[in-house]
Amino acid sequence: MDLRDLHDLRDWLPRALGVAERWGGQFGPYESHEAHRVASDAFTEAFDRLAKRMDHNYPFFHPRYAGQMVKPPHPAAVTGYLTAMLFNPNNHAAEGGPATTEMEREAVAALAGMFGFDAHVGHLTTSGTMANLEALYVARQVHPGRGIAYSSECHYTHERMCHVLGVEGHRIPVDGYGRIDLDALEGALRGGRIGTVVVTTGTTGLGAVDPVHEVLALARRYGVRVHVDAAYGGFYAVLGRVGAGGVDPAPWRAIAGCDSVVVDPHKQGLQPYGCGAVLFPDPRAGRHFAHDSPYTYFTDAELHLGEISLECSRAGAAAAALWLTLQLLPLTPDGFGRILAANRRAALRWADLLDASGELELYQRPDLDIVTYFPATADRALSSIDAASERLLRAGMTAEADPVFLSVLRADADAFVRRHPGVVRDAQEARVIRSVLIKPESEHYLPTLHARVAELAADARATP
Ligand SMILES: *Cc1c(COP(=O)(O)O)cnc(C)c1O
């Protein structure tokens, strides 16, 4: 959050404490145990050491950080999280946290609405990894003995989770935009060994959006399920489903017809880490999680969140954080959509500036808000582009004055040449620079950011 947000929290955090104090007060006095007590000097001293250690960090909140998909949580998320955390509810079962269980149901229903689901079963998870594991677990239960197909640009978790689940994984090549190749997919589906296809709406590397609508039509012809990994890009459904912000609506509208979807509120959703979600439009998917534990679940006739989940204990505070955020920034074009639209405008504007730049070249036009680019070296050889990208990254991060924080993406030679036929193929791969413009602050800061990155690129091209 920016420094103004921290200022707001000076007001909100004491109110969070007030909620716990007021509620706790009704249970009467008791004596706290000396085993818990710590000397206030010792606390101060240890806290100061913690504070010092936190200096070793990157400024994720600042638009001069334009690297990975990370930003601090919204003040509403922090306030919601802290308020609930003081009670420490566990959303594994309704008795673990009745209030936060309700908030989780409402927040998950809002996510289901964002994707256009009429009905759903689903819940929050601690991460996109866990959420995808659950979706692939259901994939295996529905089509035992059949494999799972995913593109070569999908998140590596899918291949890994296929190993965990003992399911055969099928890696499908991508087209020149980093989207799953439909011909290759059809070839694989014809073999009859695939039960589920994973599509990604916003790949982690390039932010490429797979053509969900086309994959869905193809998959149905072969009796195959479709799982949508929208961990990073999912919130773009707010714009995508109505065709706002220059986002192609077709893939986003098709998600409602798929079999499962994963979205990470801890990426675009303004939440602190520890918040993913998995949703199934067919509530009957819940039956795959049924179990009969003797020591939980005794107050509610409905399915408990813990009965439709592979994870056991989960922070109820994460549900409270998301719930409070969505009260203030609903999943509409005028609510959350304004944040995403700003990210997207910044990404498109940067793409234009990069196209016009002499120092830098755009690697690929962004589908969402991930911008990829590289220093334009004189010889246009992959080896020198790779070295210049590395120098640019390092120079930005280590600059005493005016640093910028970027990330790199490895592009293999074939992928590179497809996009830039003029490059000299003297290496297997080359790193390019990757900037996830996940914060709306990037919009106003963009001219400054671009000028600084171009300045660093000019040096990076010159100094071998
Ligand atoms: C981040 C990401 C994941 C993994 O999610 P975590 O929350 O990091 O565990 C999976 N798929 C995609 C597309 C992602 O961007």
Side-chain angles (χ1 to χ4, degrees), residues 41 203 284 299 353 448:
D41 301 356
T203 56
R284 287 172 302 175
T299 61
L353 289 173
T448 311

Side-chain angles (χ1 to χ4, degrees), residues 69 127-129 132 155 157-158 200 202 204 229 231-232 264 266-267:
M69 39 184 69
S127 67
T129 301
N132 276 304
H155 196 278
T157 191
H158 297 287
T200 307
T204 314
D229 183 359
Y232 149 67
D264 261 354
H266 68 205
K267 285 186 181 150

Side-chain angles (χ1 to χ4, degrees), residues 69 125-132 153-158 198-205 227-233 262-267 273-277 370 434:
M69 39 184 69
T125 61
T126 51
S127 67
T129 301
M130 284 308 302
N132 276 304
E153 286 280 320
C154 83
H155 196 278
Y156 63 84
T157 191
H158 297 287
V198 176
V199 286
T200 307
T201 52
T203 56
T204 314
H227 166 60
V228 185
D229 183 359
Y232 149 67
V262 159
V263 59
D264 261 354
H266 68 205
K267 285 186 181 150
Y273 282 118
C275 194
I370 300 180
R434 167 175 167 272

Side-chain angles (χ1 to χ4, degrees), residues 152-153 173-182 208 211 364 415 418-419:
S152 56
E153 286 280 320
V174 291
D175 66 15
Y177 300 95
R179 304 172 190 150
I180 195 164
D181 185 290
L182 293 170
Q364 169 172 329
R418 263 171 127 167
R419 292 164 175 85

Side-chain angles (χ1 to χ4, degrees), residues 369-388:
D369 55 22
I370 300 180
V371 187
T372 47
Y373 50 95
F374 55 93
T377 63
D379 62 359
R380 298 188 56 72
L382 288 184
S383 61
S384 65
I385 292 170
D386 180 79

Side-chain angles (χ1 to χ4, degrees), residues 11 19 44 52 84 99 113 133 136 186 220 274 285 298 315 332 336-337 347 349 364 368 373 387 417 422-423 456 460:
D11 183 29
V19 172
T44 304
K52 187 87 201 106
L133 172 62
L136 298 193
E186 177 150 26
R220 292 306 189 227
F298 39 76
T332 57
F336 238 91
R349 171 124 188 259
Q364 169 172 329
L368 299 175
Y373 50 95
V417 170
V423 298
L456 289 165

